[in-house]
Structures are given as structure tokens and as C-alpha cells.
């Protein structure tokens, strides 16, 4: 623990009252703002279009296997009909975008409206404002994703005419949960940038740049670094494997990669191993064939990734917290 | 004087190299209007932020209503209303919605909050527009909304930073009247401003800030007496023997200087408002008093004089 965070800790302990005083007032107000904002309207339309489009495309691909495939419903989310990508492909792009758009102006927006010092002069701590804003964005994100999820399942019920099995529903629920937490990482990231940058546009650009970096460049860089750290000199199989392991270990610093692994295991029960088997674009249909894995086994497979996403969210939030506590609030 | 509600002792705030507030000792009493006056950068805002626990002091002590803002910020902020300079609202929300958020942050139950909000908005002349979005409000209306906003928590004290900045003269005048009304309710008002002449009329006492210190404090009159020897300027128009009249005026107690301006006009410099005394003296010297005027020293004069001295001392010390 650094000296400054120790100081922070001590002053926190000595403070009166709960740090969460006023938290729910902030959450309700912020959620109401977000849900009625015009950016929300745009997101809703965008998401509705992609959901309907992707599901319609998937439906036309999988309809013939009705009755044969026990996990038909999962295919609704994963099957694509080129050039239309599958719904999860859409989601892995849309979720960060939604999350960033929900929180890139969380703190600097208050600065620029000159409301920050007025709000912080009410009997609340900064903790409540920051966490309240995070929760409001998080709940809004969860709400939006849950609505889409229900919409797709509804469309699936109508289109396929068979109800999903219990295990399918459980897998889909976990998929929803993972998607929400995946969004949480980007929410927290955009919030950190909203503290660092006074201009909301700068915060949005920084968030998008980080996302693009992980989406496009990090996998390439992971490969390059792995090659440097553990080069294949003789062409021995163990050398190739060692390099691949390094590459995966590095790639796992990317939330996008972690989310891809989770999706692979949850939505494709045939996947028996994540990581090595899934090096490149991580979509379930390219996975190793085999008999379906029970849910508990699939879950065990991606448990570290799941907790990784949550840990990343918490770490980013903590970073934002420290930065915000030390920030001068005058305009 | 009644009990002190704000006390600072050797209060200091340092930012890297800059000393924003330097060993400040300040006492403010229950129910008074106190003006912290000084140029930009003299440490007024920083002092206020420390009073509210929004910035931690580097050294020294603060008590606000007997509480330590660094340790008990919630209690302090529940009792003290703060109107920052350039106060902002959520533009898309209505006046009522904005104040309702404040009420909720203060933990006031909804029904009670609604009552207080309507009362405060009506009182500040915003009753008609209370359901309009704040983006339609003028600068003056926003400033009044800011007062309504702090009244919601029924504060014992209100701190305003540059309250008249950006208002037109009429708006500023109106706003100062609002401040006077607050005093009638026994709310202590602390205001910070660099517009001396605007706020001097409303303050019971003022403190002059300069480079993080409060050099002078007291009523404007006290300061004039202490600092501006002969701060009052009295002009008399008297017909009669010039020599006799000049001599008579000079002998009045408290007069420091007498000058003849021509055409029966005399200028008297005095330590107080000596209109009655000088008039009597002129009449007793067989003069016919035609007119009589007094100019009180303005805070600006005091201020200029004060800085000259401070700068002078500094140069002398450095030498
Ligand atoms: N966050 C900060 N970092 C560094 N210096 C600051 C900061 N805030 C204020 N100052 C400095 O502190 C001094 C006092 O500022 P301030 O309290 O805002 O004065 P006033 O309100 O009287 O205009 C100024 O010199 C200002 O530059
Ligand atoms: Mg200031």
C-alpha cells in the first residue's frame, strides 16, 4: 500500500457517518437521467435492429435442425449467415460502445455543468457520488441487455416453436450475466477517463481508443511478444506449445479476449477447453468438436475468466476512486 | 457580540509552491453578514473550501458551528449552505426537480421536501417558473435558484462565493436585498467577493484578503477610522470671512485638513462624519452656511491604501 492510499484509508476511518449516505438518491437520479437521455434512444434503436437482424439470419440457418439439436436456442445467438454477423459478434462490439456511452461524461460532465461543487456541498461523500454514478450506469446497462436478451428469446420461441431446455436457459442466463460484467469493465474504464479528462470528448476518445487497442492490436502484440519471450528455435512441439501458452497468457490481459473465452464455453457445450484451442477469433463455431460438456464443467472452465472480468472492473473502479478523492473540485 | 460560528486558527493551505491561504485567523459571529473581500487569487475560495471540508487544510484549525469540517463533513454540510461561484444546475431538469435532488441528498422526506421547495421558490420569485427546465432561466434567475437550493436544508449559515459576479447592476442590487432578508432570519452569511463597492453596503463586517492573509477586519467605518486618517471628505459652501472660517473649521476635533476650493467652497478631511460639528463651527464664525455634503470613505479607498502599505512594508522588509 502506498503512502497516499494509506493516508486516504486513515482519513476514511476517522470520518463520520457512512460513505454511502445519499448513494440511492444519486443512483435514482442518474438512472432517470440516463433512461430519458437521447443517447439512450439511439442505443435502443441500434440494438433492436441488430438483434432482430441477427436473429432473423440465424433462424433461417438453423431452422432445419429443429428437433435434432438439443442446444438449438444457443445457436440463435451464435450462428451467423454471412455477411450478417451472429448476435454475439454484434454484442462483443456493441456492449463496450454502450458501456462507454453511458459513463464517458460521468464526472467531467458535472464539472462542465458546474454542478459538482454544489452536489458535493450536500451532506454526502464523494464515494457516494462516484459509486452511485457507476451503479446507475451499470443498472441501466443491465436493464438494456436484459431487455434484448428477453426479446431474442421471445423471437426464438415464436420462430423455432420449441421451448429451450432448462440447461439452455441456465447457459443463457450466465451468458447474460457475463455480458453485463463485460460491460462493467468498459463502464469503469470510461468513468476513470471521465475523471482524468475535463473534456467529455477526450474521455470518449480515450475509451474508444483503449477498446480498439484491445479489439484489434492486443492479439497481434500478444503474438509478437510471445515470439520474443519464447521463440520457436528448433520447431519442437513443446516450443510451439510454450509460445502459444505465452500468447494466451498475454492475450488474457484483454477483457475482450476473456469475454470471448466465456462465450465460447457457455454457448457451445462442445467446447472442452478454452485458451489453447481458441487462439484466434474466439467464436464458438470454430471450437473443437466433441460431446457436449455438462454446464458445471463448462462453468468450471471459464470461472477464472469470469472472476477476471469482475476483478478488472473493481480495479478500475478503485483507480477512479483514488483519482477522484484527490481531485480538486473547483471549476 | 454573540457566539462565534466560524473560527479558524493559523489555517494554511499549500499547493505545491503556492501558499493559497497563509496562517489565517478569522472569527465570524452568529447572525452577521461577513464579507471576505480581496482580489482574485487572494485565497477566498480556498478558505471556503476548507470551511466546508471540500479541501483538506495543510495546517491549522477550523471550527464551523463547533464542528471540524475535516472530521465531520456531513454534519457541517447538512447545516451550511454553499453557493459556489458560477453555480450550475441540470439544465434539462425543472427547477423543482433540481431542488428535489438536493432535498434527497439531504435525506429530507419527499412530502416535507415538496413543501420546502415550493416555499423557497415562491419566496425567491420563481413560483411561476418552477416547472420550467432550468435551461430557460436567466443568469439572475439561476442565482436566485441557487439561494432557494440552499434554503431547502434550512441552513444556519450560508456561504456565497462571488455572488454578484455576472449580474447586471440591477440584478446585483436585488440579490443584495435577498442577502439582507436572510440576515433577518438569523442566518449567518459569509460572502466572498472581489467587487468591493457592490458588497460593502450589505456587510456588517468585512475582512480584507491579500495573498492568503486577512490583513484587516472590522466594520467599514472602523476600518476607515483606523486606516484612513481623515477618510471622510466634507464639503461646505459658506459665505463670510475666509480666514475666520478656515480657522474655525481647523479647530473642530477630528478634522485633519482644511482646504479652500474657491467660490466660498471649503473641503474638510475628517476622521468621521463631522457634518454637524463643522457646520456649527462655520456658523459660529459668522458664516452663512449654504450647502453641506459628506463623502464616506469607500472600501476601495481603504483597500488601495491598505495594499500600498502592505507592499511598502514588504519592500522595506526585503531591503
Ligand atoms: N488546485 C490548485 N493548485 C494550485 N494552485 C491553486 C489551486 N487552487 C488555487 N490555487 C492558487 O491558490 C491561490 C488562491 O486561489 P483562490 O482561493 O481561488 O483565490 P480567490 O478565491 O480569492 O480568487 C491562487 O494563487 C491560485 O492560483
Ligand atoms: Mg474565488
Amino acid at each position: 500500500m502506498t503512502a497516499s492510499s494509506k493516508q486516504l484509508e486513515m482519513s476514511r476511518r476517522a470520518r463520520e457517518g457512512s460513505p454511502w449516505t445519499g448513494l440511492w438518491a444519486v443512483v435514482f437520479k442518474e438512472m432517470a437521467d440516463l433512461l430519458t437521455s437521447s443517447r439512450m434512444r439511439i442505443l435502443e434503436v441500434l440494438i433492436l435492429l441488430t438483434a432482430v437482424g441477427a436473429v432473423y439470419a440465424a433462424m433461417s440457418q438453423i431452422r432445419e435442425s429443429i428437433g435434432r439439436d438439443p442446444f438449438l436456442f444457443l445457436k440463435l445467438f451464435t450462428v451467423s449467415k454471412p455477411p450478417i454477423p451472429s448476435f454475439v459478434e454484434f454484442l462483443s462490439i456493441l456492449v463496450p460502445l454502450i458501456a462507454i456511452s453511458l459513463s464517458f461524461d460521468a464526472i467531467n460532465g458535472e464539472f462542465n455543468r458546474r454542478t459538482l461543487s454544489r452536489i458535493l456541498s450536500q451532506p454526502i461523500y464523494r464515494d457516494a457520488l462516484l459509486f452511485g454514478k457507476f451503479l446507475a450506469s451499470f443498472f441501466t446497462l443491465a436493464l438494456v441487455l436484459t431487455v434484448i436478451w428477453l426479446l431474442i428469446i421471445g423471437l426464438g420461441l415464436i420462430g423455432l416453436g420449441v421451448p429451450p431446455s432448462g440447461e439452455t436457459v441456465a447457459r443463457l442466463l450466465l451468458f447474460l450475466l457475463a455480458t453485463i460484467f463485460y460491460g462493467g469493465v468498459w463502464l469503469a474504464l470510461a468513468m476513470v477517463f471521465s475523471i482524468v479528462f475535463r473534456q467529455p470528448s477526450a474521455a470518449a476518445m480515450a475509451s474508444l481508443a483503449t477498446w480498439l487497442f484491445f479489439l484489434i492490436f492486443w492479439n497481434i502484440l500478444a503474438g509478437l511478444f510471445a515470439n520474443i519471450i519464447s521463440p520457436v528455435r528448433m520447431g519442437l512441439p513443446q516450443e510451439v506449445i510454450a509460445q502459444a501458452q505465452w500468447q494466451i497468457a498475454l492475450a488474457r490481459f484483454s477483457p475482450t479476449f476473456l469475454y470471448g473465452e466465456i462465450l465460447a464455453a457457455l454457448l457451445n457445450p462442445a467446447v472442452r477447453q478454452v485458451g489453447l484451442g481458441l487462439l484466434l477469433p474466439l467464436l464458438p463455431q470454430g471450437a473443437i468438436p466433441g460431446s457436449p460438456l455438462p454446464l458445471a464443467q463448462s462453468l468450471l472452465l471459464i470461472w477464472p475468466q469470469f472472476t477476471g472480468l469482475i476483478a478488472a472492473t473493481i480495479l478500475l473502479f478503485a483507480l477512479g476512486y483514488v483519482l477522484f478523492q484527490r481531485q480538486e473540485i473547483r471549476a | 457580540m454573540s457566539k462565534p460560528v466560524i473560527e479558524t486558527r493559523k489555517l494554511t493551505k499549500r499547493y505545491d509552491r503556492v501558499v493559497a491561504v497563509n496562517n489565517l485567523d478569522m472569527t465570524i459571529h452568529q447572525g452577521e453578514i461577513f464579507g471576505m473581500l480581496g482580489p482574485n487569487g487572494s485565497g477566498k475560495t480556498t478558505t471556503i473550501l476548507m470551511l466546508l471540508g471540500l479541501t483538506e487544510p495543510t495546517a491549522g484549525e477550523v471550527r464551523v458551528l463547533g464542528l471540524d469540517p475535516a472530521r465531520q463533513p456531513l454534519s457541517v454540510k447538512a447545516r451550511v449552505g454553499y453557493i459556489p461561484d458560477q453555480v450550475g444546475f441540470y439544465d434539462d431538469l425543472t427547477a423543482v426537480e433540481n431542488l428535489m435532488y438536493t432535498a434527497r441528498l439531504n435525506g429530507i422526506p419527499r412530502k416535507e421536501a415538496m413543501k420546502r421547495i415550493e416555499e423557497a421558490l415562491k419566496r425567491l420569485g420563481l413560483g411561476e417558473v418552477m416547472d420550467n427546465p432550468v435551461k430557460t432561466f436567466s443568469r439572475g434567475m439561476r442565482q436566485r435558484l441557487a439561494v432557494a437550493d440552499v434554503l431547502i436544508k434550512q441552513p444556519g449559515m450560508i456561504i456565497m462565493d462571488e455572488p454578484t459576479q455576472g449580474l447586471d447592476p440591477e440584478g446585483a442590487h436585488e440579490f443584495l436585498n435577498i442577502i439582507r432578508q436572510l440576515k433577518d432570519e438569523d442566518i449567518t452569511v459569509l460572502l466572498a467577493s472581489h467587487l468591493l463597492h457592490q458588497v460593502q453596503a450589505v456587510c456588517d463586517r468585512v475582512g480584507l484578503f491579500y495573498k492568503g492573509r486577512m490583513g484587516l477586519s472590522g466594520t467599514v467605518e472602523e476600518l476607515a477610522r483606523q486606516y484612513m486618517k481623515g477618510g471622510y471628505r466634507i464639503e461646505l459652501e459658506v459665505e463670510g470671512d475666509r480666514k475666520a472660517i478656515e480657522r474655525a473649521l481647523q479647530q473642530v476635533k477630528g478634522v485633519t485638513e482644511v482646504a479652500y476650493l474657491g467660490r466660498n467652497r471649503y473641503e474638510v478631511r475628517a476622521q468621521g462624519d463631522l457634518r454637524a460639528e463643522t457646520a456649527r463651527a462655520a456658523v459660529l464664525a459668522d458664516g452663512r452656511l449654504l450647502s453641506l455634503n459628506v463623502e464616506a470613505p469607500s472600501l476601495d479607498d481603504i483597500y488601495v491604501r491598505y495594499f500600498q502599505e502592505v507592499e511598502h512594508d514588504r519592500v522595506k522588509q526585503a531591503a
Side-chain angles (χ1 to χ4, degrees):
Chain A
M1 199 188 273
T2 64
S4 62
S5 66
K6 214 177 252 165
Q7 228 172 24
L8 211 68
E9 188 68 20
M10 296 216 334
S11 67
R12 266 172 62 63
R13 229 177 285 139
R15 291 187 315 190
E16 68 166 334
S18 154
W20 311 125
T21 316
L23 177 69
W24 293 106
V26 175
V27 172
F28 286 131
K29 188 260 172 195
E30 291 297 326
M31 260 192 96
D33 277 4
L34 285 175
L35 290 174
T36 55
S37 65
S38 48
R39 79 181 80 158
M40 206 60 208
R41 296 284 94 76
I42 297 170
L43 288 178
E44 278 160 8
V45 171
L46 192 67
I47 260 183
L48 200 70
L49 285 178
T50 55
V52 173
V55 169
Y56 180 77
M59 203 100 80
S60 66
Q61 293 285 80
I62 59 177
R63 194 164 277 141
E64 63 263 28
S65 53
I66 294 180
R68 271 177 289 142
D69 190 338
F71 295 107
L72 194 64
F73 247 84
L74 298 181
K75 292 238 161 66
L76 214 52
F77 290 78
T78 57
V79 167
S80 65
K81 180 190 189 184
I84 305 172
S86 72
F87 183 64
V88 292
E89 283 172 300
F90 265 130
L91 261 195
S92 57
I93 295 190
L94 273 182
V95 166
L97 283 182
I98 302 171
I100 289 169
S101 77
L102 285 176
S103 66
F104 72 98
D105 63 347
I107 297 300
N108 49 21
E110 300 280 340
F111 255 112
N112 294 332
R113 276 190 298 256
R114 313 213 175 277
T115 42
L116 189 63
S117 44
R118 193 170 58 80
I119 296 308
L120 290 181
S121 74
Q122 308 307 331
I124 62 165
Y125 285 112
R126 294 183 191 201
D127 316 36
L129 183 69
L130 194 68
F131 194 46
K133 280 188 169 262
F134 179 79
L135 281 186
S137 300
F138 191 76
F139 291 157
T140 307
L141 179 77
L143 190 71
V144 170
L145 291 175
T146 308
V147 168
I148 307 168
W149 184 83
L150 286 172
L151 180 82
I152 294 180
I153 292 190
L155 287 175
L157 280 175
I158 297 167
L160 301 175
V162 283
S165 68
E167 188 185 329
T168 303
V169 172
R171 280 178 182 272
L172 286 176
L173 268 174
L174 285 168
F175 155 72
L176 175 64
L177 207 63
T179 307
I180 293 171
F181 277 106
Y182 175 56
V185 177
W186 299 105
L187 273 184
L189 180 81
M191 195 162 247
V192 168
F193 284 131
S194 91
I195 296 166
V196 174
F197 296 106
R198 280 291 161 91
Q199 289 305 319
S201 54
M205 288 311 295
S207 309
L208 290 175
T210 312
W211 167 62
L212 280 176
F213 174 78
F214 280 123
L215 186 71
I216 297 170
F217 298 110
W218 185 243
N219 279 346
I220 301 170
L221 287 179
L224 285 177
F225 289 146
N227 197 13
I228 295 167
I229 298 168
S230 169
V232 180
R233 290 207 182 83
M234 321 278 192
L236 298 176
Q238 52 272 51
E239 279 183 335
V240 176
I241 289 174
Q243 190 182 60
Q245 266 164 346
W246 267 107
Q247 184 174 354
I248 287 162
L250 288 170
R252 280 184 177 148
F253 280 96
S254 158
T256 314
F257 187 89
L258 293 182
Y259 180 60
E261 288 188 304
I262 295 173
L263 288 192
L266 279 180
L267 295 182
N268 192 344
V271 168
R272 327 196 104 251
Q273 185 188 16
V274 289
L276 272 187
L278 291 167
L279 257 188
L280 283 175
L282 292 151
L283 287 158
Q285 62 262 55
I288 313 152
S291 57
L293 224 51
L295 174 59
Q297 293 290 317
S298 294
L299 200 55
L300 215 56
L301 218 53
I302 45 98
W303 192 244
Q305 281 80 349
F306 214 111
T307 47
L309 284 183
I310 296 174
T313 306
I314 294 173
L315 274 178
L316 282 168
F317 183 80
L319 174 66
Y321 177 84
V322 171
L323 291 173
F324 188 48
Q325 290 289 345
R326 319 172 109 231
Q327 195 165 47
E328 277 291 323
I329 61 143
R330 76 176 85 197
Chain B
M1 258 304 168
S2 44
K3 61 174 193 228
V5 287
I6 293 181
E7 273 188 300
T8 72
R9 192 136 312 136
K10 294 205 184 306
L11 185 61
T12 302
K13 176 72 183 184
R14 216 168 281 127
Y15 290 110
D16 299 330
R17 300 238 176 91
V18 194
V19 182
V21 175
N22 190 355
N23 281 307
L24 178 71
D25 292 327
M26 182 169 80
T27 305
I28 292 162
H29 301 277
Q30 170 73 45
E32 72 176 341
I33 302 180
F34 188 90
M36 301 166 66
L37 306 179
N40 286 324
S42 56
K44 307 179 299 290
T45 301
T46 310
T47 304
I48 290 175
L49 293 179
M50 289 190 284
L51 293 177
L52 289 162
L54 293 176
T55 289
E56 293 222 2
T58 311
E61 266 186 64
V62 201
R63 285 288 175 277
V64 176
L65 302 168
L67 303 162
D68 177 356
R71 293 259 169 272
Q72 297 148 294
L74 297 191
S75 307
V76 170
K77 293 193 285 185
R79 292 168 177 78
V80 179
Y82 171 47
I83 305 182
D85 54 347
Q86 302 178 310
V87 59
F89 290 92
Y90 300 101
D91 276 351
D92 291 330
L93 302 186
T94 67
V96 170
E97 285 166 345
N98 266 287
L99 299 204
M100 189 52 92
Y101 185 34
T102 305
R104 297 207 47 166
L105 291 174
N106 278 277
I108 303 167
R110 198 181 173 83
K111 227 170 130 192
E112 170 68 13
M114 206 54 225
K115 211 183 92 207
R116 290 191 199 178
I117 289 170
E118 280 185 14
E119 218 173 87
L121 286 174
K122 285 202 180 110
R123 174 171 163 190
L124 286 149
L126 296 169
E128 303 275 297
V129 292
M130 64 186 198
D131 289 318
N132 294 2
V134 174
K135 64 174 163 235
T136 63
F137 283 24
S138 71
R139 180 86 178 80
M141 287 159 83
R142 278 163 197 264
Q143 200 69 12
R144 278 183 280 145
L145 184 59
V147 177
D149 185 57
V150 295
L151 287 179
I152 299 305
K153 60 171 107 167
Q154 303 185 328
M157 185 193 311
I158 298 179
I159 300 180
M160 307 183 186
D161 201 351
E162 306 286 358
T164 57
Q165 182 160 296
L167 297 180
D168 55 25
E170 199 184 327
H173 183 75
E174 201 180 308
F175 196 76
L176 294 175
N177 279 333
I178 293 172
I179 296 177
R180 283 200 190 89
Q181 285 170 19
L182 296 175
K183 179 191 160 70
D184 293 340
E185 289 169 38
D186 205 33
I187 297 177
T188 310
V189 179
L190 175 63
L191 51 89
S193 180
H194 69 278
L195 301 165
L196 312 185
H197 58 278
Q198 258 185 5
V199 298
Q200 101 173 81
V202 81
C203 294
D204 296 322
R205 286 196 312 136
V206 299
L208 298 190
F209 276 68
Y210 183 69
K211 296 203 170 158
R213 289 172 179 276
M214 189 167 74
L216 292 177
S217 69
T219 65
V220 175
E221 272 167 34
E222 275 168 17
L223 295 188
R225 212 165 325 130
Q226 284 169 16
Y227 237 76
M228 307 274 302
K229 296 179 181 77
Y232 284 78
R233 192 178 150 276
I234 302 163
E235 205 180 301
L236 302 98
E237 193 179 352
V238 191
E239 264 176 18
D241 178 25
R242 179 178 153 191
K243 283 249 166 63
I245 292 170
E246 269 183 349
R247 200 172 326 115
L249 289 175
Q250 245 146 16
Q251 272 158 11
V252 175
K253 203 169 158 242
V255 168
T256 52
E257 206 181 315
V258 178
Y260 183 64
L261 302 173
R263 285 191 285 147
N264 293 329
R265 302 181 90 84
Y266 300 84
E267 185 191 75
V268 175
R269 295 274 171 180
Q271 287 174 353
D273 183 356
L274 299 181
R275 270 176 298 183
E277 292 80 353
T278 49
R280 218 163 79 95
V283 172
L284 285 178
D286 285 335
R288 279 183 65 218
L289 184 63
L290 298 178
S291 74
L292 180 63
N293 271 312
V294 68
E295 256 178 44
S298 81
L299 208 44
D300 286 294
D301 299 334
I302 299 171
Y303 208 69
V304 168
R305 176 74 66 91
Y306 167 61
F307 287 148
Q308 279 170 353
E309 288 199 9
V310 175
E311 281 301 313
H312 189 73
D313 287 353
R314 226 165 49 91
V315 172
K316 257 203 325 215
Q317 262 173 13

